[in-house]
Amino acid sequence: MRPEHKNVPALPPSPHGGENCRAVASVLARVGDKWSVFVIMMLINGPQRFNELKRKINGISQRMLTLTLRGLERDGLVTRTVFPTIPPRVDYELTDLGRGLAQPVQALGKWAFEHLPEIEGARTSFDARSGKD
Amino acid sequence: MRPEHKNVPALPPSPHGGENCRAVASVLARVGDKWSVFVIMMLINGPQRFNELKRKINGISQRMLTLTLRGLERDGLVTRTVFPTIPPRVDYELTDLGRGLAQPVQALGKWAFEHLPEIEGARTSFDARSGKD
DNA sequence: CCGTATCCCGACTGATACTG
DNA sequence: CAGTATCAGTCGGGATACGG
């Protein structure tokens, strides 16, 4: 088994960009991934141990946390440091690349937060429309 | 059946933010959605007809395009204008909100594009590591 | 041309149990 | 404590066919 965490299935070539589109999309997929964003946010504060993250995110399964961290590690966004002690200890920390990614992500989050009312309003009225009428 | 296009399953409460976290996450999910981003990008150029989008994105199924557009419409990011002619014609256009979202999304895309080499490099070396050794 | 309904498969994910 | 393996359920998403 080699999870790779996310499919990144590849997109059919687009008429304009083509190659790069796919690659960019794979990064967007990372961001869109529910857990990845949370982990990144958690790690902004500094290194965290496995179970700390698990506890703080509270709702993620051990499996998913592992897969998420693997994916982030694979993309060079976090580092995994093992202390061969007993009991074992593993720290996860954001790389410079990861911290760089955190910026636009936070910008997006900021936008999302600021426009939540509009979006939720739109959703509500849309649902009202399609519910009856 | 009422697809709603995306689950937005709700996140368990986080220790710090709580409520807002969930909502912001739902917006992030929109962005992370493969097709949504493409549609938004397409619509930056101006209004487009259904089959135009379908043709340009080339690889999206009719079903997914419909669902994606529904989701964007629901969030107030695009408008759907029906011309009751024969044959029918439907134009999709970005709202101001949608154009606003396009900004941070493009910023993210820009970042992704600029750091593609690093990320792909990280992926390659990671895969090499876990492949053998 | 635009959209919906149905079928169906594969991928994601949670629960659980087991190793170092 | 950190991580892997297995199983089973759910659901996203493509293909197709039909309705307006």
Side-chain angles (χ1 to χ4, degrees), chain A residues 5-7 33 35 61-64 88:
Chain A
H5 177 240
K6 272 299 184 178
N7 210 344
D33 182 44
W35 302 121
S61 64
Q62 192 166 13
R63 172 188 166 81
M64 278 305 105

Side-chain angles (χ1 to χ4, degrees), chain A residues 45-64:
Chain A
N45 309 323
Q48 303 273 334
R49 299 185 56 172
F50 185 87
N51 274 350
E52 280 200 83
L53 288 170
K54 186 169 184 311
R55 201 172 0 265
K56 289 191 182 174
I57 295 182
N58 190 12
I60 190 172
S61 64
Q62 192 166 13
R63 172 188 166 81
M64 278 305 105

Side-chain angles (χ1 to χ4, degrees), chain B residues 6-7 35 61-64 88:
Chain B
K6 271 300 180 180
N7 210 348
W35 302 122
S61 64
Q62 192 165 16
R63 172 189 165 82
M64 276 305 104

Side-chain angles (χ1 to χ4, degrees), chain B residues 39-115:
Chain B
V39 170
I40 291 175
M41 293 308 182
M42 290 300 171
L43 290 178
I44 288 178
N45 309 322
Q48 302 273 335
R49 299 184 57 172
F50 185 87
N51 274 352
E52 280 200 84
L53 288 170
K54 186 169 185 308
R55 198 168 4 260
K56 290 191 182 175
I57 295 183
N58 189 12
I60 190 172
S61 64
Q62 192 165 16
R63 172 189 165 82
M64 276 305 104
L65 181 53
T66 301
L67 290 176
T68 301
L69 288 168
R70 279 278 184 286
L72 294 172
E73 187 191 358
R74 187 169 102 101
D75 288 2
L77 299 170
V78 307
T79 55
R80 177 174 178 271
T81 311
V82 181
F83 300 88
T85 60
I86 297 183
R89 164 182 179 159
V90 181
D91 275 16
Y92 291 92
E93 185 173 12
L94 234 46
T95 63
D96 287 336
L97 191 63
R99 273 184 286 272
L101 175 58
Q103 302 300 89
V105 168
Q106 281 183 311
L108 196 61
K110 185 166 174 292
W111 184 92
F113 182 75
E114 290 171 354
H115 296 273

Side-chain angles (χ1 to χ4, degrees), chain A residues 88-104:
Chain A
R89 164 182 179 158
V90 181
D91 275 16
Y92 292 92
E93 185 173 12
L94 234 45
T95 63
D96 288 336
L97 192 62
R99 273 184 287 272
L101 175 58
Q103 300 302 89

